[in-house]
Amino acid sequence: MSIGIVGLGYVGLPLAVAFGEAGHDVVGVDVDARKVAALRGGESYVEDVSSDRLRALDGRFGATTRYAELAGAEAIVIAVPTPLTENREPDLGPLLDSARAVAGVLQAGQLVVLESTTYPGTTREQLVPLLEESGLGAGRDFHVAYSPERVDPGRRDFTLRTTAKVVGGLTDACRERAVDLYGRVCDTLVPVSSPEAAELSKLLENIFRSVNIALVNELAMLTDRMGIDIWEVVDAAATKPYGFMRFDPGPGMGGHCLPVDPFYLAWRAREFDMTTEFVELAGRINQQMPYHCVARIERALNDQAKAVRASKIALLGVSYKAGVGDTRESPALKIASLLGGLGADVRYHDPYVPELRDLGLRNEPLDDVLDGADLAVIVTAHPDIDHHAVATRVPALLDLRGVTRRPAPVRA
Ligand SMILES: NC(=O)c1ccc[n+]([C@@H]2O[C@H](COP(=O)([O-])OP(=O)(O)OC[C@H]3O[C@@H](n4cnc5c(N)ncnc54)[C@H](O)[C@@H]3O)[C@@H](O)[C@H]2O)c1
């Protein structure tokens, strides 16, 4: 099969490679000429796709900035960003741009699938009308479906193949074609009755995480005042074999998805005279967390009779999650900037993040950031760092991820 992928980022590139590895011919389109040049040179910029895997595709994957090369594809998958505007409203700019560009090359018989996370109604109300500017009719001359991506960067236990994939088509035939497409790289398909159901299922998954993270973060702020160890509480609750799902507290919520996607639904709900209270509340609590962390840092320094100003603070891990270099919406950025504003001497070690340009900081070797530090703060606990050893090297350690706490009691 010949498959086109629009948007070669965290979602699009692994998908392109998966189709290529399954023996299909893939052409990837991206507006970022630097990314296209890197891919053409056999270099991957996404952690989950090694450059070796890319090179092994041996001619079955081509990257380009030209949409015209999609004309020969049987299926076109769109995986462009869906960010928020400064007013925290959906920014469909990249999606609409890519839809217009696809419409310009659309051929009768093609299948177009949207994968970008978005509010229910986007595929039918935004994507389809633009594609139909081609003069072709959706569901008649070409097929349209929505299938959300569930990739979790850095995760090894579930892959694209072993993670069930939800698919909703504009018509039954649209859905069947999309099921056939993804059946080539996924073991389990979950067909649903409409693109709207598929769109909302993705938002439900992300809102579920956001709300549960906020719940445990709120408890973490409370237990901090009460003098109770939140990790002990979570460990204990997690021994219940049913009706409880573990979520761990942390410095806040980061990444491209959880701090952003729920607000797509909140925005859409307003059109239906509804306020999505859970979404707003979870967002508020999670946004407070970096401030709570800075208050804890102030206290940890105060215990040593030190002020934040001029104290040497070593931040360990600045990406939004362990094992990846993605710093989008990472709470570490807020923490570093608040501490900088208070006059602290902030340095960081993160083997995955070479620099934080906006903050004027660069990754430094672990030994260098710990030498002379007044306080080390574990913001993101990357693997391969011996955090217990770190604890012995600094006058004070604040562990925001609970990795240095005593091990949970073993089962009797
Ligand atoms: N990253 C994740 O873990 C994840 C997981 C599930 C869903 N999603 C969703 O998938 C979508 C893509 O996310 P991502 O993380 O891959 O983003 P990304 O920023 O890593 O990649 C998107 C790519 O699209 C390109 N692009 C932007 N506008 C374009 C256009 N008009 N034409 C062609 N290319 C264009 C960008 O240059 C970029 O390379 C988003 O809606 C996101 O919410 C992301």
Side-chain angles (χ1 to χ4, degrees):
M1 205 174 164
S2 154
I3 298 162
I5 308 280
V6 178
L8 298 171
Y10 285 91
V11 168
L13 186 60
L15 191 64
V17 170
F19 279 121
E21 288 175 341
H24 305 287
D25 288 324
V26 183
V27 55
V29 178
D30 203 291
V31 286
D32 187 336
R34 279 175 314 170
K35 285 188 176 173
V36 169
L39 296 173
R40 284 186 169 172
E43 295 297 332
S44 170
Y45 40 79
V46 169
E47 283 102 355
D48 290 349
V49 174
S50 69
S51 298
D52 286 347
R53 271 178 74 194
L54 204 57
R55 292 189 199 119
L57 290 176
D58 201 25
R60 283 196 306 285
F61 170 64
T64 177
T65 55
R66 289 166 27 89
Y67 273 81
E69 295 187 31
L70 296 173
E74 291 159 67
I76 299 171
V77 177
I78 300 175
V80 296
T82 41
L84 293 174
T85 64
E86 288 198 345
N87 300 332
R88 300 194 77 72
E89 292 182 351
D91 175 4
L92 291 185
L95 200 159
L96 302 180
D97 287 349
S98 63
R100 279 186 209 99
V102 169
V105 299
L106 193 68
Q107 306 291 315
Q110 283 183 323
L111 164 70
V112 180
V113 188
L114 180 61
E115 287 222 4
S116 303
T117 307
T118 185
Y119 60 80
T122 309
T123 305
R124 194 184 300 272
E125 296 166 21
Q126 304 290 334
L127 179 65
V128 165
L130 287 174
L131 295 178
E132 288 188 328
E133 286 182 10
S134 62
L136 300 171
R140 188 186 67 219
D141 304 319
F142 65 97
H143 292 114
V144 179
Y146 179 84
S147 179
E149 177 52 60
R150 287 172 158 171
V151 67
D152 182 12
R155 184 175 278 280
R156 301 269 169 266
D157 47 355
F158 288 99
T159 62
L160 184 64
R161 179 161 287 288
T162 59
T163 306
K165 198 151 179 24
V166 175
V167 179
L170 205 60
T171 63
D172 289 350
C174 291
R175 186 184 60 232
E176 290 318 312
R177 270 199 75 189
V179 165
D180 173 67
L181 170 72
Y182 288 111
R184 292 155 198 263
V185 286
C186 295
D187 291 339
T188 311
L189 279 302
V190 184
V192 294
S193 66
S194 64
E196 288 78 10
E199 289 162 333
L200 187 53
S201 73
K202 172 69 186 178
L203 291 182
L204 171 60
E205 290 165 20
N206 282 357
I207 292 167
F208 174 83
R209 281 189 60 74
S210 162
V211 166
N212 280 286
I213 291 169
L215 172 64
V216 76
N217 277 341
E218 186 178 61
L219 281 185
M221 289 191 268
L222 178 65
T223 52
D224 182 47
R225 289 192 192 181
M226 289 177 153
I228 299 171
D229 177 357
I230 183 66
W231 303 102
E232 188 183 6
V233 174
V234 174
D235 282 346
T239 59
K240 185 175 179 185
Y242 50 86
F244 182 82
M245 185 177 282
R246 183 183 184 115
F247 283 85
D248 288 294
M253 209 164 53
H256 175 260
C257 296
L258 296 193
V260 173
D261 302 345
F263 293 97
Y264 268 67
L265 187 63
W267 178 85
R268 181 64 163 173
R270 288 200 283 276
E271 259 182 59
F272 294 82
D273 296 333
M274 283 273 305
T275 311
T276 47
E277 310 278 0
F278 278 103
V279 169
E280 306 284 350
L281 178 62
R284 274 205 301 280
I285 292 174
N286 287 325
Q287 272 169 17
Q288 267 179 44
M289 287 312 290
Y291 294 90
H292 171 70
C293 296
V294 168
R296 290 186 63 193
I297 289 169
E298 285 171 341
R299 249 165 41 213
L301 289 168
N302 189 56
D303 288 346
Q304 301 177 60
K306 288 176 185 163
V308 176
R309 182 169 301 281
S311 280
K312 292 184 169 36
I313 301 178
L315 299 183
L316 306 184
V318 294
S319 63
Y320 84 93
K321 68 182 267 196
V324 302
D326 193 348
T327 57
R328 290 179 287 182
E329 309 273 338
S330 172
L333 308 181
K334 188 77 193 176
I335 292 173
S337 116
L338 289 171
L339 291 174
L342 291 171
D345 176 1
V346 179
R347 299 162 77 177
Y348 82 88
H349 172 70
D350 188 321
Y352 296 84
V353 181
E355 66 173 328
L356 295 176
R357 198 173 299 164
D358 289 351
L359 294 168
L361 298 173
R362 290 193 70 82
N363 175 41
E364 297 179 56
L366 185 60
D367 286 342
D368 291 6
V369 295
L370 295 182
D371 274 351
D374 297 295
L375 174 72
V377 185
I378 302 171
V379 186
T380 294
H382 285 306
D384 312 324
I385 293 183
D386 184 347
H387 291 104
H388 285 91
V390 167
T392 65
R393 293 194 44 193
V394 282
L397 175 80
L398 185 59
D399 177 1
L400 301 176
R401 297 286 182 173
V403 287
T404 56
R405 74 194 196 285
R406 60 186 166 70
V410 285
R411 239 189 305 164

